[in-house]
Amino acid sequence: MSRSSSSDPLRPGDHVDSPEPAESAPGSGPKLGVVGWLRFLWRQLTSMRTAIVLLLLLAVGAIPGSLVPQRSSDPNGVIQVRADNPDLVWFYDALSLHDVYSSPWFSAIYILLFTSLVGCVIPRLMHHWKAMRALPPRTPARLSRLVGFQTVAGDASDLDRADGVLKKLGYRTTRYGDSVSAERGYLRETGNLLFHISLLAMILVVGLGSGFGYNGQRLVVEGRGFANTLSSYDTFTAGQWFDDATLEPFSVQLDDLDVVYETENPNAVGAPLDFTAHVSVTEDGAEHDAQIKVNEPLNVAGADLYLISNGYAPRISVRDAEGELVYDEYTPFLAQDDQMTSLGVMKLPDGLEQQLGLRGFFYPTAVPLDTGALASAYPDLANPVLSLQAFTGDLGLDAGVPRSVYALETDEMTQIAGGESGTDALTITPGQTVDIPGGLGTITFEDVVRYGVIEVHVDHTQTPVFWIAMLLVASLLGSLLIPRRRLWVKAAPSGLELAGLARGEDPTLERAVDDLARRLRPREAQADDSLPRGTSQD
């Protein structure tokens, strides 16, 4: 005998096989409305799946910030990239690739992730609060269907003892007639919630705290120093809420920069072993000596000072045709290889009959190659040689366009020494003087010293982030390792019935039931259990 689906009491009225109402058009369904759609979108945004997707998007969105020069940290790099790729300038601007971390799309991901976590955590907090105040659930009718079911000797008079044993084991208990219901492991969900709250705190602290910090770099030649002022830094990056009035007054002088190279291992001769910057710090009117090492910053007035790079700075003096001094400075040269072969640029817009540009290579330990060119065989100063190319013409300093001090643009200049000029490059050693082609004057290589690049970093988020990270790890371990389980003890005609139920994975649940059974057995039975097999109490 068959029945229609509409008369089947086991099927809901909206089952796919149910006949459509006469007033409903085919394929039509309930309309959500504005409030319904808002509720639906909110639930999607606050789901854990959405939070994970947004977290991945945030990580992916940070990748362009490390690949493309940023205006906040490398303005010269931005200028160079835009000059080298004029056809892609519109693309950089459209996606704000030079300002990734302050771009609208990155901020949107950041705010959505924060909102998603807040919307996910708050309802769970309320639910967990109610769960922690609620009594353990009632005892199931059939414990035999649960994990670790077993029976031990006893009756209803032993339930008080069972209640005490469970409480000593850390369970929250309650009596339901002839049974005891117990539950423990609330800290598992507490750890889970603390993990998400810590993640929220991390996002908030990093997002807001970094806005009050700053990061400045200064190249300092031995014997010279700088003060902690905006005008003293070569590059300076600050958060959007930074106030320059918060800069602590102090100054730093680089007295000496020691570099230790490998000399014994023939396979690693010249490898740097240690860098030490000996500095004099003036703070609150008092001066003291200190050291800065790689990965060992110096803390001054709440700011961390790092030694991030070093190199050589030859001192070059230039005199005009009459012998008048027009230039005398230490010029930092940037290392190009592990042997400290370094490249540097000098620009002389005034003092000579024509503007002069010098581009040179410095070799700490110069050795000739088979081709006649020079190379450095060791990074320390064993045989320092400076080779200069000379250019005359317009240096482009009056065009109003920022120019890098480490690059010489020669499009509007004529080469008078080195290259294809027909004149050899000017090769000089410390203390030697050479003539500039064309009778413009002379160049003297006075001496050479080291320089160090010191970074001053203030980050108010370091301490909070450390403790938040510790809380993240502890809460994550708690959410993974603390088991959430329920145990029941029920008086039955056959004795005390015991069983358990886990909320989630709990491979030790059956062992916990066995332990409870052992504790509830009469003392004589416990003594029998403690004896080796085949041995009687007699």
Side-chain angles (χ1 to χ4, degrees):
M1 177 175 152
S2 62
R3 294 182 302 176
S4 65
S5 61
S6 61
S7 62
D8 190 344
L10 300 181
R11 289 184 175 180
D14 60 349
H15 191 269
V16 66
D17 293 334
S18 301
E20 296 179 1
E23 67 276 5
S24 176
S28 64
K31 295 183 179 180
L32 291 178
V34 176
V35 177
W37 274 108
L38 291 176
R39 185 181 293 112
F40 171 77
L41 293 175
W42 175 252
R43 288 177 178 173
Q44 295 300 312
L45 176 62
T46 56
S47 68
M48 186 53 61
R49 180 183 303 174
T50 302
I52 294 175
V53 170
L54 289 172
L55 191 60
L56 291 175
L57 285 177
L58 192 70
V60 173
I63 293 177
S66 60
L67 298 179
V68 181
Q70 302 295 293
R71 285 192 175 90
S72 59
S73 59
D74 189 9
N76 289 328
V78 173
I79 296 173
Q80 188 65 42
V81 167
R82 295 171 74 90
D84 294 341
N85 305 278
D87 296 336
L88 295 178
V89 169
W90 68 271
F91 180 72
Y92 292 136
D93 292 339
L95 297 181
S96 302
L97 294 182
H98 294 306
D99 302 281
V100 168
Y101 304 111
S102 59
S103 63
W105 58 269
F106 191 85
S107 301
I109 297 174
Y110 201 91
I111 293 172
L112 285 175
L113 175 60
F114 187 83
T115 305
S116 177
L117 289 174
V118 170
C120 178
V121 168
I122 290 180
R124 291 180 62 181
L125 276 173
M126 299 172 62
H127 177 76
H128 184 53
W129 174 252
K130 292 179 181 179
M132 291 187 67
R133 300 182 64 188
L135 296 175
R138 289 186 173 276
T139 306
R142 298 182 180 179
L143 293 181
S144 58
R145 297 181 176 181
L146 303 181
V147 177
F149 172 76
Q150 54 187 289
T151 303
V152 298
D155 54 26
S157 62
D158 295 314
L159 291 179
D160 289 338
R161 185 164 65 92
D163 186 274
V165 170
L166 287 167
K167 286 181 178 178
K168 288 182 179 179
L169 293 174
Y171 288 85
R172 182 190 300 173
T173 64
T174 188
R175 292 282 295 271
Y176 291 108
D178 58 352
S179 66
V180 177
S181 178
E183 187 172 11
R184 65 174 289 181
Y186 296 95
L187 289 179
R188 182 186 183 95
E189 180 64 12
T190 302
N192 200 346
L193 289 171
L194 277 177
F195 174 80
H196 289 86
I197 293 173
S198 301
L199 191 59
L200 273 172
M202 183 76 75
I203 294 174
L204 188 64
V205 167
V206 172
L208 296 180
S210 59
F212 295 94
Y214 67 88
N215 186 69
Q217 293 184 0
R218 174 61 187 262
L219 188 150
V220 188
V221 176
E222 287 179 332
R224 299 186 180 181
F226 69 98
N228 188 32
T229 59
L230 288 179
S231 59
S232 295
Y233 289 104
D234 298 324
T235 61
F236 190 87
T237 305
Q240 60 187 88
W241 299 294
F242 169 77
D243 183 6
D244 57 0
T246 61
L247 288 173
E248 295 291 339
F250 66 83
S251 61
V252 178
Q253 177 176 304
L254 179 61
D255 298 325
D256 188 28
L257 181 60
D258 288 338
V259 182
V260 179
Y261 297 104
E262 176 63 58
T263 58
E264 297 181 359
N265 186 353
N267 297 322
V269 172
L273 300 179
D274 188 35
F275 301 89
T276 305
H278 301 275
V279 298
S280 299
V281 180
T282 302
E283 181 182 5
D284 296 330
E287 181 177 333
H288 62 90
D289 296 332
Q291 290 183 353
I292 309 175
K293 287 178 171 287
V294 177
N295 298 326
E296 294 183 18
L298 171 67
N299 187 273
V300 180
D304 291 323
L305 277 62
Y306 296 86
L307 178 64
I308 60 174
S309 66
N310 69 95
Y312 291 105
R315 178 189 167 197
I316 306 299
S317 64
V318 179
R319 299 178 181 273
D320 61 15
E322 285 74 29
E324 295 292 331
L325 184 66
V326 297
Y327 181 91
D328 187 3
E329 294 184 11
Y330 286 99
T331 303
F333 277 50
L334 303 181
Q336 305 297 304
D337 57 28
D338 294 338
Q339 303 303 326
M340 297 298 290
T341 301
S342 305
L343 174 66
V345 167
M346 288 154 281
K347 301 177 183 180
L348 286 77
D350 303 307
L352 301 178
E353 295 181 0
Q354 301 181 61
Q355 292 188 1
L356 178 67
L358 300 173
R359 181 169 59 199
F361 280 94
F362 175 72
Y363 307 95
T365 303
V367 293
L369 301 177
D370 295 339
T371 60
L374 294 176
S376 180
Y378 187 70
D380 210 351
L381 296 174
N383 181 33
V385 173
L386 183 62
S387 176
L388 297 174
Q389 295 178 345
F391 300 83
T392 57
D394 186 10
L395 292 170
L397 302 181
D398 300 328
V401 178
R403 306 286 184 180
S404 172
V405 295
Y406 301 108
L408 180 65
E409 298 182 10
T410 60
D411 295 341
E412 304 296 329
M413 306 188 75
T414 302
Q415 189 167 8
I416 60 175
E420 300 178 356
S421 64
T423 304
D424 292 338
L426 307 178
T427 303
I428 47 180
T429 57
Q432 185 178 2
T433 300
V434 296
D435 294 328
I436 304 174
L440 294 178
T442 60
I443 298 176
T444 302
F445 184 3
E446 303 289 352
D447 63 346
V448 57
V449 298
R450 289 186 179 271
Y451 70 81
V453 177
I454 297 178
E455 179 177 274
V456 180
H457 183 69
V458 171
D459 186 0
H460 302 290
T461 66
Q462 287 183 346
T463 300
V465 164
F466 172 78
W467 290 111
I468 292 173
M470 294 297 100
L471 184 59
L472 270 171
V473 174
S475 58
L476 180 60
L477 291 176
S479 66
L480 294 176
L481 301 179
I482 297 176
R484 180 77 180 272
R485 62 166 68 117
R486 295 167 178 170
L487 295 180
W488 289 279
V489 180
K490 184 178 180 180
S494 59
L496 295 179
E497 295 181 347
L498 286 71
L501 180 66
R503 299 189 62 179
E505 294 290 334
D506 187 0
T508 62
L509 176 59
E510 191 167 354
R511 191 189 313 163
V513 178
D514 292 339
D515 179 63
L516 177 61
R518 182 182 58 81
R519 294 170 183 268
L520 294 180
R521 289 191 184 100
R523 295 191 177 183
E524 294 80 5
Q526 294 184 28
D528 290 341
D529 291 342
S530 65
L531 292 174
R533 291 190 177 185
T535 304
S536 67
Q537 283 186 290
D538 295 337

